[in-house]
């Protein structure tokens, strides 16, 4: 049962597992008599493993300094709205640890309802709100609204409570908003290309032929989910690797059959497909530019998602991102391929593109400083 929970298996899977064990271990009297289907498994989890886990958390807090932070978020599971209540604290034998204290269902997503549930969970488990050092959640107004958010309501119970928003969310929103000033919408291109091939096996089959034609190894295009902050860069990276084949495919079917967003990326200002080296195509520079600068955000988010991260490191990571963006802006650095292509362009066109890319860095820094507190 513990193994099933640890690997997020359904209780239903135990109906099969427990039928297999007597077959494998025929010589064991215990194995032949074992019985634990989904009903018993659920009972063991709810009445044994879960209480023991909570007991372990309480003992950890009693044996340490006792202070802990609380984190919560809403998650949709079909028509069900689920809320985990997670604690983070320092354990002298393990360092910083993250533990799930409770998991409740509630259709009410208002700040008042979330606050009431968090307070009930803390009190029910014999903990004190005075020992809560911070409240952590995403940056939605329901959590950190200036007047009526969950944080403000919890602060009325513990005035020393600190806010801990989601820095990964901030970086994602920063990159997304900064991309809005670019003339070509790379995110729409990623979504359009993936959707175009995902709905047709025939199109994928023809695309594979194009991979053979341009002599590159087939690799599947990646899906980008706009609300997921770790999906845009991998999707751009994969599209760039597959670009010769993808471009050849759309050139072969022509302008009339190609979605407009995609055709804009393989055509010149007259609307005709560019037959030369792809890197001379102006829209393609935007793809290369984001491929070069998005790792600044991507690498920072991966660091922020570490289990052992502490508040001091968060500040250092965010400062590092801001400094890198400002340095790139000062150096007019857009990546080797982009810089090489810009030098070949007419002066007026080159200045226009440089201005857009510099604007991306400038806007990103503005949004970072707006959404994250860099003060000492």
């Amino acid at each position: 049962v513990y193994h099933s929970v640890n690997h997020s298996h359904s209780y239903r899977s135990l109906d099969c597992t427990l039928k297999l064990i007597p077959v494998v271990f025929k010589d064991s009297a215990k194995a032949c008599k074992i019985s634990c289907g989904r009903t018993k498994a659920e009972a063991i989890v709810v009445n044994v493993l879960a209480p023991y886990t909570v007991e372990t958390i309480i003992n950890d807090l009693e044996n340490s300094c006792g202070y802990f932070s609380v984190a919560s978020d809403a998650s949709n599971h079909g028509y069900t709205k689920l809320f985990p209540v997670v604690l983070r604290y320092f354990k002298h034998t393990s360092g910083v640890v993250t533990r799930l204290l409770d998991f409740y269902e509630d259709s009410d997503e208002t700040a008042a309802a979330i606050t009431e549930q968090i307070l009930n969970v803390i009190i029910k488990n014999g903990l004190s709100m005075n020992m809560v050092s911070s409240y952590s959640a995403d940056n939605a107004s329901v959590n950190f609204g200036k007047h009526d958010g969950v944080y403000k309501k919890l602060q009325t119970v513990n005035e020393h409570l600190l806010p801990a928003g989601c820095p990964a969310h901030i970086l994602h929103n920063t990159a997304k908003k900064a991309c809005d000033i670019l003339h070509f919408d790379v995110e729409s291109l990623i979504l359009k290309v993936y959707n175009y091939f995902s709905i047709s096996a025939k199109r994928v089959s023809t695309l594979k032929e194009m991979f053979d034609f341009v002599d590159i190894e087939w690799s599947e295009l990646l899906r980008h989910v706009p609300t997921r902050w770790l999906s845009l860069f991998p999707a751009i990276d994969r599209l760039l690797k597959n670009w010769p084949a993808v471009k050849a495919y759309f050139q072969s079917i022509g302008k009339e059959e190609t979605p407009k967003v995609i055709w804009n990326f393989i055509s010149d200002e007259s609307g005709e497909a560019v037959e030369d080296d792809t890197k001379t195509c102006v829209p393609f520079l935007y793809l290369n530019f984001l491929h070069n600068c998005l790792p600044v955000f991507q690498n920072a988010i991966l660091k922020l998602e570490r289990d052992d991260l502490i508040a001091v490191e968060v500040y250092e990571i965010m400062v590092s991102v801001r400094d890198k963006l400002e340095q790139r802006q000062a150096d007019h650095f857009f990546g080797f391929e982009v810089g090489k292509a810009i030098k070949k362009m007419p002066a007026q066109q080159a200045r226009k593109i440089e201005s857009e890319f510099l604007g991306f860095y400038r806007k990103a820094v503005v949004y970072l400083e707006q959404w994250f507190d860099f003060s000492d």
Side-chain angles (χ1 to χ4, degrees):
V1 173
Y2 173 79
H3 177 272
S4 298
V5 173
N6 195 40
H7 293 280
S8 303
H9 293 170
S10 168
Y11 292 138
R12 192 183 299 273
S13 66
L14 289 169
D15 287 338
C16 296
T17 304
L18 271 298
K19 291 176 182 176
L20 178 64
I21 289 177
V23 176
V24 176
F25 304 103
K26 293 181 179 179
D27 56 340
S28 170
K30 290 184 178 180
C32 290
K33 294 180 180 179
I34 192 170
S35 174
C36 184
R38 51 185 168 177
T39 304
K40 289 182 181 177
E42 182 178 359
I44 291 173
V45 171
V46 173
N47 299 313
V48 180
L49 296 182
Y52 175 73
T53 302
V54 173
E55 182 183 331
T56 302
I57 295 172
I58 304 304
N59 289 338
D60 285 347
L61 291 172
E62 289 177 351
N63 295 328
S64 64
C65 63
Y67 286 96
F68 58 93
S69 64
V70 174
S72 184
D73 194 13
S75 178
N76 293 318
H77 186 73
Y79 294 105
T80 306
K81 184 76 69 174
L82 300 173
F83 291 82
V85 178
V86 176
L87 305 189
R88 204 156 193 264
Y89 55 88
F90 181 82
K91 186 177 179 181
H92 69 278
T93 57
S94 308
V96 177
V97 296
T98 305
R99 297 289 185 264
L100 178 66
L101 180 64
D102 203 344
F103 208 96
Y104 67 89
E105 175 187 341
D106 193 350
S107 60
D108 192 349
E109 262 190 292
T110 62
I114 296 173
T115 303
E116 183 181 357
Q117 290 282 12
I118 290 174
L119 292 174
N120 288 340
V121 168
I122 291 174
I123 294 170
K124 180 181 70 175
N125 289 284
L127 300 174
S128 171
M129 190 63 197
N130 292 327
M131 301 304 289
V132 179
S133 58
S134 66
Y135 169 67
S136 180
D138 65 27
N139 304 305
S141 58
V142 68
N143 293 315
F144 292 105
K146 291 183 178 180
H147 305 292
D148 196 36
V150 175
Y151 168 68
K152 285 295 182 182
K153 291 183 179 298
L154 291 175
Q155 203 176 27
T156 61
V157 183
N158 179 357
E159 62 180 9
H160 301 294
L161 190 70
L162 297 174
C166 178
H169 199 181
I170 290 174
L171 290 179
H172 169 262
N173 287 347
T174 296
K176 190 177 181 67
K177 293 289 288 184
C179 284
D180 289 343
I181 74 164
L182 298 179
H183 183 64
F184 289 92
D185 190 349
V186 173
E187 188 174 15
S188 292
L189 172 70
I190 298 295
L191 294 171
K192 279 285 186 181
V193 171
Y194 177 83
N195 290 338
Y196 183 87
F197 291 106
S198 66
I199 61 174
S200 172
K202 183 179 180 181
R203 291 173 181 174
V204 173
S205 178
T206 307
L207 179 62
K208 288 181 178 180
E209 295 175 5
M210 291 299 174
F211 273 81
D212 294 333
F213 176 73
V214 299
D215 195 24
I216 61 174
E217 185 179 352
W218 158 258
S219 57
E220 194 171 344
L221 294 168
L222 298 180
R223 182 187 179 196
H224 165 55
V225 182
T227 57
R228 298 292 178 265
W229 44 70
L230 288 176
S231 67
L232 182 57
F233 174 73
I236 290 177
D237 183 59
R238 182 62 59 84
L239 181 60
L240 274 174
K241 290 178 181 177
N242 296 348
W243 186 255
V246 172
K247 180 186 174 184
Y249 174 91
F250 288 114
Q251 285 179 337
S252 68
I253 65 174
K255 181 178 180 179
E256 299 301 323
E257 299 296 325
T258 302
K260 185 177 180 181
V261 170
I262 300 174
W263 189 259
N264 287 341
F265 271 83
I266 63 174
S267 62
D268 55 23
E269 293 181 357
S270 66
E272 297 299 323
V274 176
E275 301 293 343
D276 300 329
D277 181 3
T278 54
K279 294 180 178 58
T280 63
C281 181
V282 172
F284 193 77
L285 294 182
Y286 291 78
L287 200 61
N288 266 299
F289 169 71
L290 288 181
H291 182 260
N292 181 267
C293 69
L294 283 182
V296 175
F297 299 92
Q298 182 86 356
N299 295 335
I301 290 173
L302 289 173
K303 291 178 182 178
L304 291 169
E305 291 190 337
R306 287 189 357 239
D307 291 335
D308 58 349
L309 193 74
I310 59 176
V312 177
E313 292 175 294
V314 172
Y315 184 83
E316 292 177 352
I317 291 169
M318 298 298 281
V319 169
S320 174
V321 172
R322 184 190 62 179
D323 291 347
K324 287 178 182 178
L325 292 172
E326 290 179 335
Q327 189 63 51
R328 283 170 172 247
Q329 181 184 348
D331 295 341
H332 286 223
F333 180 74
F334 314 120
F336 175 75
E337 296 293 347
V338 176
K340 185 172 66 173
I342 287 177
K343 290 178 181 178
K344 298 178 182 179
M345 293 179 175
Q348 185 176 358
Q349 186 182 31
R351 283 195 298 270
K352 181 181 177 182
I353 292 176
E354 284 187 355
S355 177
E356 279 194 59
F357 292 165
L358 290 173
F360 175 92
Y361 292 139
R362 187 165 51 251
K363 282 290 185 182
V365 172
V366 169
Y367 286 125
L368 270 181
E369 292 179 341
Q370 177 182 339
W371 293 329
F372 186 83
D373 185 8
F374 287 98
S375 61
D376 293 336

